[in-house]
Amino acid sequence: MADDLTDFATLETIARDLALAAGRLIVDERPVGLGVAATKSSATDVVTEMDRRSEQLLQDELTRRRPDDGLLGEEGASTVGTSGITWVVDPIDGTVNYLYQLPAYAVSVAACTGDPSQPELLEPVAGAVYNPITGELFHGHRGGGAHLSIREVTQSLRASQEGDLSLALLGTGFGYEAQIRRRQGALLAELIGDVRDVRRGGSAALDLCSVAAGRLDVYYESGLNPWDRAAGQLLVQEAGGVVRIEDEQPGRLMVIAGSPALVDELAPRVTTR
Ligand code: LIP
């Protein structure tokens, strides 16, 4: 790239446009009586027709605006590009919240560099996460900082610098498979007495944005897919937070994000599984 920051800023603008468009779609065109169109890893890992329509909109827009880029989407979109940029998108992150009409779901759009054959290792360089219910648009690019725009007002984001775990507001989430959830619940039971309190929002993308905004001091979750975390992890880093992605166990990654001190303290406690 001739001028990375300029190009990254251009990619951020595209990510913002797409997240807004897909976010408006999933609210404005949500059918009455929306049901489950399909399930994936378990009976509770649901897909709706709006997940699919949102991803189709993202794919169509990226084909139009960035025809040489690659694409990886939660609902199956998968194309290898020639530009060195791969878009990693979650058309609705927090699908269960969306299905239940809990106002904590988002469209997550990230532009990444790296080898698309190893999606877990893709590096986000620009991204946007949009909650269409609150109107919060989190966005940023590598070297450009992290920001929150609500309608026409934009503010810079700064992650927590809390150093005391006992004062930390901790976020986490759980997988869709019962046996994994039991293990994740046991881990949380070990931690809950050591922190201020716990929040489980139901959207990793929004949880990571909460870390970037200082609304959570630290967050951990295992089993996330690249599309759940790509945009949010970039925003945490651009807001002065730290993101560590380590093996919880072979083949299953753990994401820990937050203030440097808390990530250092929490990481060994959540990865010795
Ligand atoms: C969700 C994540 C959330 C996790 C859920 C689910 P989805 O993604 O954002 O953090 O706890 O189990 O994986 O399935 O709504 O795109």
Side-chain angles (χ1 to χ4, degrees):
M1 286 185 170
D3 176 344
D4 284 356
L5 284 187
T6 301
D7 290 333
F8 291 170
T10 300
L11 296 174
E12 177 188 344
T13 298
I14 294 170
R16 292 175 59 172
D17 292 348
L18 268 59
L20 285 167
R24 291 188 188 106
L25 172 84
I26 66 176
V27 170
D28 296 347
E29 300 194 25
R30 179 195 179 107
V32 175
L34 177 74
V36 174
T39 59
K40 295 184 285 190
S41 64
S42 76
T44 58
D45 185 1
V46 299
V47 182
T48 72
E49 69 174 274
M50 297 310 295
D51 291 86
R52 291 171 172 166
R53 288 188 58 195
S54 174
E55 186 158 302
Q56 189 60 60
L57 179 153
L58 295 169
Q59 183 166 25
D60 294 345
E61 279 299 292
L62 285 168
T63 300
R64 181 174 69 85
R65 296 181 67 170
R66 298 281 302 187
D68 299 329
D69 293 358
L71 172 62
L72 174 64
E74 177 173 19
E75 305 314 336
S78 178
T79 56
V80 178
T82 57
S83 67
I85 294 295
T86 300
W87 293 86
V88 178
V89 302
D90 194 331
I92 304 177
D93 187 60
T95 298
V96 172
N97 286 349
Y98 178 72
L99 184 66
Y100 280 73
Q101 300 193 65
L102 289 167
Y105 50 86
V107 176
S108 182
V109 180
C112 301
T113 59
D115 179 357
S117 69
Q118 295 184 289
E120 301 289 352
L121 301 180
L122 288 171
E123 281 291 334
V125 293
V129 177
Y130 179 51
N131 180 332
I133 298 300
T134 64
E136 293 175 312
L137 176 65
F138 300 89
H139 55 93
H141 67 266
R142 184 72 68 200
H147 302 89
L148 168 60
S149 294
I150 303 176
R151 284 169 286 284
E152 301 312 312
V153 177
T154 297
Q155 64 188 60
S156 294
L157 298 180
R158 188 73 185 144
S160 164
Q161 297 303 306
E162 179 60 62
D164 183 343
L165 188 65
S166 69
L167 299 179
L169 191 58
L170 169 77
T172 192
F174 311 107
Y176 286 116
E177 296 166 61
Q179 198 48 37
I180 290 175
R181 294 168 65 80
R182 289 189 184 93
R183 192 178 76 243
Q184 293 171 322
L187 172 58
L188 182 58
E190 291 175 14
L191 296 170
I192 197 163
D194 298 338
V195 298
R196 177 191 296 273
D197 204 344
V198 176
R199 297 291 183 271
R200 195 284 195 250
S203 163
L206 290 179
D207 288 340
L208 288 164
C209 289
S210 288
V211 172
R215 298 173 180 173
L216 288 174
D217 294 303
V218 66
Y219 162 80
Y220 75 92
E221 186 164 353
S222 66
L224 294 179
N225 291 297
W227 44 77
D228 296 316
R229 59 178 168 83
Q233 71 188 60
L234 169 69
L235 299 179
V236 170
Q237 294 167 330
E238 287 299 312
V242 166
V243 178
R244 281 169 62 170
I245 301 176
E246 303 184 357
D247 283 337
E248 178 198 33
Q249 60 187 15
R252 186 173 178 85
L253 295 179
M254 174 68 79
V255 174
I256 312 110
S259 73
L262 292 181
V263 170
D264 283 346
E265 183 171 356
L266 197 61
R269 296 188 61 178
V270 299
T271 53
T272 53
R273 292 291 135 191

